[in-house]
């Protein structure tokens, strides 16, 4: 059972700046199997923490990479994806993304393009893995080419949360990619995005002041 918490400290995302803390997010339509995949990977000893107010679950996992202990938070949503858009804080400081579709439902594959677009708006450079889930339902799908991944230059894994095929591989590779992103990226893009946001905000404030004064000037004079 997931432990329910409204502990806001769980959402203190500054912790992800620490060397040994990694944040991996999961994206994809409802019912593609995001939660089942996490549960399958973490099987025993996982402790999902439902941050109920924010409709998300953090799956915590400890591992070692190059002899160093690493704490991984896998972020999973509950419900928000129905609106086809996530809150920006979901993406904030994420180091890698696992993007899932259901091989049995074409629409979930088509929607990858929307998820990917949104991901790149917030995290232009983080590694992203595409997961074709539920291959147990029809093994023939592994012969099919899902061009979206190839077109975007992303790795594609054929997976089944139900029978476990490739699940460990996906998650271990995601952790490796997240760690290497963390170590090698200067998060330069993050800095640029922040600067741009501040700049746009300042401009908006400035232009609204100007509009105010223009409006006042054009106000008809009452006789
Ligand atoms: N056959 C099969 N069914 C699966 C597999 N993975 C998940 N399912 C089923 O698909 C349904 C949805 O799985 P979830 O893990 O709840 O999906 P989700 O993406 O977390 O859905 P939301 O939380 O609504 O976003 C469940 O009934 C699962 O049992 C799989 O690999 N094979
Ligand atoms: Mg779920």
């Amino acid at each position: 059972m997931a432990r329910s918490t409204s502990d806001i400290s769980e959402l203190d995302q500054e912790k992800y700046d620490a060397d040994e803390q990694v944040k991996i997010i999961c994206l994809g339509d409802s019912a593609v199997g995001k939660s089942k995949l996490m549960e399958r990977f973490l099987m025993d000893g996982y402790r999902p923490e439902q941050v109920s107010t924010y409709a998300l679950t953090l799956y915590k996992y400890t591992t070692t990479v190059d002899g160093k202990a690493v704490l991984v938070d896998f972020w999973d949503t509950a419900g928000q994806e129905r609106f086809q858009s996530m809150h920006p804080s979901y993406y904030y400081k994420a180091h890698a993304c696992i993007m899932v579709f259901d091989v049995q439902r074409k629409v979930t594959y088509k929607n990858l393009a929307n998820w990917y677009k949104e991901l790149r708006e917030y995290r232009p450079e983080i590694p992203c893995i595409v997961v074709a889930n539920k291959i147990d339902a029809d093994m023939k799908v592994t012969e099919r080419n899902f061009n979206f991944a190839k077109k975007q230059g992303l790795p594609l894994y054929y997976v089944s949360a139900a029978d476990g095929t490739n699940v460990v591989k996906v998650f271990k590779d995601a952790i490796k990619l997240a760690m290497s992103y963390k170590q090698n990226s200067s998060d330069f893009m993050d800095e640029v995005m922040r600067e741009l946001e501040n700049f746009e905000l300042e401009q908006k404030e400035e232009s609204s002041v100007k509009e105010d004064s223009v409006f006042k000037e054009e106000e008809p004079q009452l006789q």
Side-chain angles (χ1 to χ4, degrees):
M1 265 300 272
R3 185 159 73 88
S4 195
T5 175
S6 52
D7 184 357
I8 202 82
S9 67
E10 268 310 324
L11 296 175
D12 167 19
Q13 302 212 52
E14 302 311 312
K15 68 180 176 187
Y16 296 123
D17 290 335
D19 281 352
E20 71 290 353
Q21 285 265 8
V22 175
K23 171 178 175 180
I24 299 179
I25 56 173
C26 203
L27 288 179
D29 284 5
S30 189
V32 292
K34 300 182 294 296
S35 305
K36 286 278 176 249
L37 283 165
M38 301 233 185
E39 284 163 20
R40 165 62 83 156
F41 173 60
L42 300 165
M43 224 124 158
D44 355 271
Y46 77 88
R47 44 183 188 103
E49 297 194 355
Q50 237 147 40
V51 188
S52 48
T53 336
Y54 296 87
L56 61 85
T57 307
L58 265 63
Y59 293 82
K60 295 178 165 293
Y61 177 69
T62 313
T63 184
T64 45
V65 176
D66 299 331
K68 273 203 309 194
V70 178
L71 302 167
V72 187
D73 279 357
F74 291 104
W75 284 50
D76 183 27
T77 57
Q80 275 199 54
E81 64 271 35
R82 264 180 256 131
F83 305 105
Q84 290 280 306
S85 182
M86 305 297 298
H87 191 274
S89 61
Y90 191 74
Y91 296 100
Y92 187 59
K93 289 189 190 284
H95 302 109
C97 172
I98 298 171
M99 209 165 61
V100 187
F101 72 98
D102 174 352
V103 293
Q104 299 276 286
R105 285 185 300 139
K106 202 172 170 183
V107 65
T108 67
Y109 173 68
K110 279 173 93 179
N111 283 335
L112 288 183
N114 302 333
W115 288 116
Y116 193 60
K117 185 165 170 282
E118 187 170 276
L119 170 72
R120 288 308 181 215
E121 276 167 24
Y122 294 105
R123 306 297 287 149
E125 295 190 329
I126 62 168
C128 177
I129 288 176
V130 181
V131 167
N133 190 33
K134 308 196 188 181
I135 59 162
D136 57 284
D138 175 12
M139 287 303 287
K140 279 218 174 76
V141 293
T142 56
E143 291 156 22
R144 261 178 55 194
N145 239 340
F146 292 100
N147 276 323
F148 174 81
K150 204 188 278 172
K151 236 170 67 188
Q152 302 292 345
L154 303 173
L156 169 68
Y157 292 72
Y158 295 95
V159 165
S160 166
D163 69 17
T165 308
N166 277 336
V167 174
V168 172
K169 182 155 180 47
V170 164
F171 283 85
K172 294 260 171 189
D173 285 0
I175 295 169
K176 266 191 232 151
L177 288 168
M179 283 302 284
S180 97
Y181 171 79
K182 203 177 165 89
Q183 282 154 3
N184 300 320
S185 109
S186 59
D187 270 337
F188 174 68
M189 274 311 288
D190 287 354
E191 289 293 326
V192 173
M193 297 294 274
R194 244 194 314 273
E195 288 298 320
L196 270 176
E197 273 165 21
N198 289 340
F199 183 64
E200 277 171 12
L201 210 73
E202 277 165 24
Q203 283 209 319
K204 259 185 209 150
E205 278 168 6
E206 215 170 86
S207 69
S208 72
V209 169
K210 270 190 197 141
E211 272 164 23
D212 275 359
S213 54
V214 167
F215 181 72
K216 273 185 195 125
E217 274 168 27
E218 286 176 349
E219 230 171 350
Q221 297 288 315
L222 289 175
Q223 298 291 327

